[in-house]
């Protein structure tokens, strides 16, 4: 393979991974537009997000198995074609449930794009430059979720919501054609065994039920809704039986025995925590910027830009450190500490915080996440045999997705509860005994009277204005609490690194020996 062809292949598969990751969050800002256009409620429309997340989490842990069974080249190109076709159908859906159906299938196709792309990139580099490969792929992993909401907002504002799906079509066609000519089967193929249909079925039902509970729980008031209770019971029961089944058969679809590796187990927990923080921060940071600080989607994108640029530098530095023999655990600790600092900064924002201050905080978020992307993968597979690397990486990737799902679900509930508490406290302070509150109210009444309203009209408008201020302050305080909560979560997980800090690093050749 010539250097030009090798670079084109690397560019192609990273582009495919970015496309898949963008689609995780690109629809978040377009839900209200979809709802109005398709004549559906906002609750029904949110299934567009849920369906994709469920499909992704189901398919990721069995990507290695499917790649070995169908052939990596066939499975990868087939997944691209499925993803692209479903993107076309999503953009041309005539009702909400047609959109949800094709969004689910799009998630099935997208599951392979991230996993196999990662392996293909690593295969293009010799073992002494595996850290460079990780940094390159890490750039794609970081860029996708970061620009997704901003890109979705720009497309929705300037065009129409179907284009958030239709934009995938030319990219998908290019990637499919390019891979048809450039992608080859790996030299080492995993052995094929009898299909574990029971394991696949249990995984699909269990993870699907769990993901639905996480995505819909807050909207449906959690266990006050019957189907959430039923799905919770199904998820717990099915997943427990799935674990028992996979540990008791000879050729499981998901080899849970690899979790005997201490490095993999700890990396999986830390990856869960990282996914928790990554998805929460990219979920609530734009919300704070747009709803509370009054930035447009385009301005919010500009706030994220400096961090995204410096994250690419951080990824390069990370790759260099790992290549020079620095323990992945040390780099992970650096990433955790920087991300904790980001949350501490964001927990102190006010309604007067400038765009420059927010952008500066988001730089720390970006650098922290950049320092976690590559070393966590390396730590996960560092003590595995070559034949188990694919399964270990698959489980690790699934933990990132689950961390994000748990994170967004938990933070929505947490913010709602903190909002109610802060509002009650602020409202209780608006009473005749509070001189400052009464002075503020009287000033508003005077203002509206000066504008020509009667006293009663001015007082009603003044109270309405006070209520709006209280709501905005309550929202601000609840999001500040959310950032502080995420920071504490990262601090609690940090001591886990002590168990792997002194562990010698295994050469990274095994990163390229699997289909995941």
């Amino acid at each position: 393979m010539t250097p030009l062809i090798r670079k084109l292949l690397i560019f192609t598969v990273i582009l495919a991974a970015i496309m898949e990751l963008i689609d995780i969050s690109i629809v978040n800002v377009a839900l209200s537009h979809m709802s109005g256009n398709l004549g559906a409620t906002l609750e029904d429309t949110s299934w567009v997000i849920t369906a994709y997340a469920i499909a992704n989490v189901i398919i990721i842990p069995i990507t290695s198995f499917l790649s070995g069974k169908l052939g990596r080249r066939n499975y990868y190109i087939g997944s691209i074609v499925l993803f692209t076709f479903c993107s076309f159908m999503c953009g041309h859906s005539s009702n909400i449930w047609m959109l949800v159906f094709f969004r689910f299938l799009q998630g099935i196709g997208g599951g392979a794009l991230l996993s196999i792309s990662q392996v293909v990139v690593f295969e293009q580099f010799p073992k002494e430059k595996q850290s460079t490969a990780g940094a390159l792929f890490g750039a794609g992993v970081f860029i996708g979720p970061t620009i997704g909401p901003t890109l979705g907002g720009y497309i929705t504002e300037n065009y129409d919501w179907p284009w958030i799906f239709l934009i995938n079509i030319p990219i998908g066609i290019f990637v499919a054609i390019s891979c048809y000519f450039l992608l080859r089967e790996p030299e080492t193929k995993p052995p094929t065994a009898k299909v574990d249909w029971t394991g696949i079925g249990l995984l699909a039902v269990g993870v699907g039920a769990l993901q639905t509970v996480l995505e819909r729980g807050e909207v449906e008031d959690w266990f006050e809704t019957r189907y959430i209770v039923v799905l919770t019971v199904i998820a717990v029961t099915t997943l427990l039986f799935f674990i028992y089944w996979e540990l008791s058969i000879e050729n499981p679809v998901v080899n849970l025995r690899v979790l005997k590796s201490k490095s993999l187990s700890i990396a999986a927990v830390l990856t869960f925590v990282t996914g928790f923080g990554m998805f929460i921060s990219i979920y609530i940071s734009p919300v704070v910027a747009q709803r509370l600080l009054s930035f447009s989607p385009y301005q919010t994108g500009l706030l994220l830009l400096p961090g995204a640029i410096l994250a690419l530098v951080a990824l390069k530095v990370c790759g260099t450190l790992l290549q020079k023999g620095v323990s992945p655990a040390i780099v992970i600790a650096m990433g955790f500490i920087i991300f904790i600092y980001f949350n501490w900064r964001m927990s102190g924002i006010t309604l007067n915080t400038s765009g420059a201050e927010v952008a500066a905080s988001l730089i720390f978020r970006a650098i922290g996440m950049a320092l976690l992307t590559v070393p966590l993968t390396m730590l996960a597979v560092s003590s595995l045999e070559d034949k188990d690397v694919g399964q270990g990486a698959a489980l690790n990737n699934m933990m990132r997705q689950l961390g994000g799902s748990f994170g967004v679900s938990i933070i929505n509930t947490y913010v709602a509860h903190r909002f109610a508490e802060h509002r009650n406290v602020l409202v209780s302070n608006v009473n005749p005994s509070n001189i400052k509150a009464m002075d503020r109210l009287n000033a508003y009444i005077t203002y509206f009277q000066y504008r020509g309203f009667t006293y009663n009209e001015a007082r009603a408008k003044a109270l309405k204005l006070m209520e709006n201020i209280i709501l905005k302050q309550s929202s601000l305080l609840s999001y500040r609490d959310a950032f502080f909560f995420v920071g504490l979560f990262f601090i609690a997980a940090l001591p886990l690194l002590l168990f792997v800090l002194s562990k010698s690093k295994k050469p990274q050749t095994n990163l390229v020996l699997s289909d995941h």
Side-chain angles (χ1 to χ4, degrees):
M1 184 179 292
T2 66
L4 178 61
I5 292 177
R6 184 172 69 89
K7 290 178 181 178
L8 181 58
L9 178 59
I10 292 172
F11 171 77
T12 298
V13 297
I14 290 179
L15 182 62
I18 292 174
M19 179 174 67
E20 196 275 336
L21 287 165
I22 286 176
D23 266 65
I24 292 175
S25 57
I26 195 171
V27 303
N28 291 13
V29 295
L31 291 182
S32 59
H33 292 78
M34 294 178 186
S35 176
N37 188 261
L38 298 174
T41 65
L42 194 59
E43 288 73 20
D44 286 343
T45 309
S46 64
W47 279 99
V48 175
I49 298 174
T50 305
Y52 190 87
I54 291 172
N56 252 208
V57 176
I58 289 173
I59 206 70
I60 284 175
I62 62 175
T63 299
S64 180
F65 167 80
L66 292 173
S67 183
K69 199 71 177 175
L70 303 175
R72 185 178 73 182
R73 182 172 179 271
N74 293 336
Y75 177 50
Y76 189 67
I77 294 176
S79 295
I80 295 168
V81 171
L82 177 62
F83 184 91
T84 306
F85 171 75
C86 290
S87 295
F88 174 84
M89 295 305 297
C90 285
H92 288 84
S93 296
S94 57
N95 62 73
I96 186 60
W97 299 116
M98 179 181 176
L99 176 58
V100 169
F101 173 74
F102 282 107
R103 181 72 169 157
F104 179 83
L105 293 182
Q106 186 192 37
I108 293 291
L113 302 188
L114 179 63
S115 307
I116 298 178
S117 295
Q118 180 182 20
V119 179
V120 173
V121 170
F122 276 109
E123 285 181 346
Q124 308 312 309
F125 290 83
K127 64 180 181 180
E128 64 272 13
K129 292 187 177 181
Q130 291 293 286
S131 298
T132 302
L136 270 176
F137 188 78
V141 170
F142 178 82
I143 289 171
T146 300
I147 68 173
T150 304
L151 181 61
Y154 178 82
I155 291 174
T156 304
E157 281 187 3
N158 294 279
Y159 301 96
D160 200 2
W161 69 262
W163 283 101
I164 65 179
F165 300 112
L166 299 179
I167 195 176
N168 293 328
I169 296 173
I171 301 173
I173 292 173
F174 167 77
V175 171
I177 293 174
S178 181
C179 288
Y180 179 82
F181 289 105
L182 301 178
L183 188 61
R184 297 289 178 264
E185 288 292 328
E187 294 182 5
T188 304
K189 296 183 179 181
T192 57
K194 184 178 178 181
V195 179
D196 176 21
W197 291 112
T198 302
I200 293 174
L202 290 171
L203 179 68
V205 173
V207 171
L210 175 62
Q211 193 73 20
T212 304
V213 170
L214 293 174
E215 295 282 342
R216 302 292 299 171
E218 173 61 23
V219 176
E220 301 288 1
D221 199 21
W222 292 105
F223 301 114
E224 297 300 318
T225 305
R226 182 176 178 81
Y227 88 85
I228 293 294
V229 175
V230 172
L231 287 179
T232 301
V233 174
I234 291 174
V236 172
T237 305
T238 307
L239 289 175
L240 286 175
F241 188 59
F242 169 76
I243 294 171
Y244 167 78
W245 177 263
E246 296 298 280
L247 291 175
S248 63
I249 65 172
E250 186 176 351
N251 296 302
V253 67
V254 179
N255 184 13
L256 298 177
R257 298 180 183 92
V258 297
L259 288 171
K260 290 187 294 184
S261 163
K262 182 174 72 173
S263 295
L264 174 59
S265 298
I266 291 176
V269 175
L270 295 175
T271 299
F272 179 91
V273 174
T274 299
F276 187 93
M278 176 190 291
F279 283 90
I280 286 177
S281 60
I282 204 60
Y283 173 69
I284 63 177
S285 294
V287 171
V288 170
Q290 293 177 43
R291 294 184 183 176
L292 299 179
L293 304 181
S294 302
F295 291 106
S296 69
Y298 176 71
Q299 290 172 322
T300 303
L302 292 181
L303 294 178
L304 294 165
L305 186 59
I309 293 172
L310 289 176
L312 300 180
V313 178
L315 283 164
K316 176 62 177 175
V317 172
C318 176
T320 301
L321 290 174
L322 295 171
Q323 194 168 320
K324 289 184 177 180
V326 177
S327 170
I330 293 176
V331 181
I332 293 168
M334 292 167 53
F336 262 63
I337 291 169
I338 293 172
F339 191 75
I340 290 167
Y341 180 64
F342 154 74
N343 283 282
W344 178 78
R345 284 178 63 100
M346 292 298 286
S347 69
I349 61 171
T350 69
L351 294 176
N352 296 319
T353 299
S354 67
E357 291 177 275
V358 176
S361 296
L362 290 171
I363 287 173
F364 290 103
R365 173 203 172 271
I367 293 175
M369 285 291 111
L371 293 178
L372 293 172
T373 303
V374 180
L376 275 173
T377 300
M378 293 176 59
L379 179 64
V381 301
S382 62
S383 61
L384 298 179
E385 297 180 16
D386 291 342
K387 65 181 179 64
D388 294 328
V389 169
Q391 191 64 74
L395 288 171
N396 202 50
N397 281 334
M398 184 181 73
M399 292 301 288
R400 183 186 297 108
Q401 297 295 106
L402 285 176
S405 296
F406 272 92
V408 172
S409 176
I410 289 171
I411 216 65
N412 277 334
T413 303
Y414 182 74
V415 166
H417 288 167
R418 295 301 297 159
F419 174 84
E421 291 181 15
H422 285 303
R423 183 183 178 280
N424 289 337
V425 171
L426 292 175
V427 167
S428 67
N429 284 317
V430 182
N431 60 69
S433 63
N434 189 322
I435 297 176
K436 288 185 178 180
M438 290 300 101
D439 287 344
R440 175 74 66 90
L441 179 62
N442 289 330
Y444 289 151
I445 293 173
T446 302
Y447 169 78
F448 286 117
Q449 282 183 308
Y450 178 76
R451 299 297 296 267
F453 293 96
T454 66
Y455 175 80
N456 288 336
E457 291 173 336
R459 189 173 190 280
K461 286 185 173 294
L463 289 171
K464 181 65 175 177
L465 181 58
M466 290 282 283
E467 171 67 10
N468 289 337
I469 292 172
I470 288 172
L471 292 177
K472 198 166 187 178
Q473 285 288 348
S474 299
S475 294
L476 175 69
L477 292 172
S478 62
Y479 284 116
R480 283 171 44 146
D481 291 345
F483 283 113
F484 191 77
F485 172 77
V486 174
L488 289 179
F489 193 65
F490 269 64
I491 291 172
L494 198 54
L496 286 173
L497 286 170
L498 296 174
F499 293 98
V500 292
L501 191 59
S502 61
K503 195 171 184 63
S504 60
K505 184 176 63 175
K506 185 178 176 180
Q508 295 111 25
T509 53
N510 54 7
L511 279 170
V512 303
L513 296 177
S514 83
D515 290 325
H516 196 293

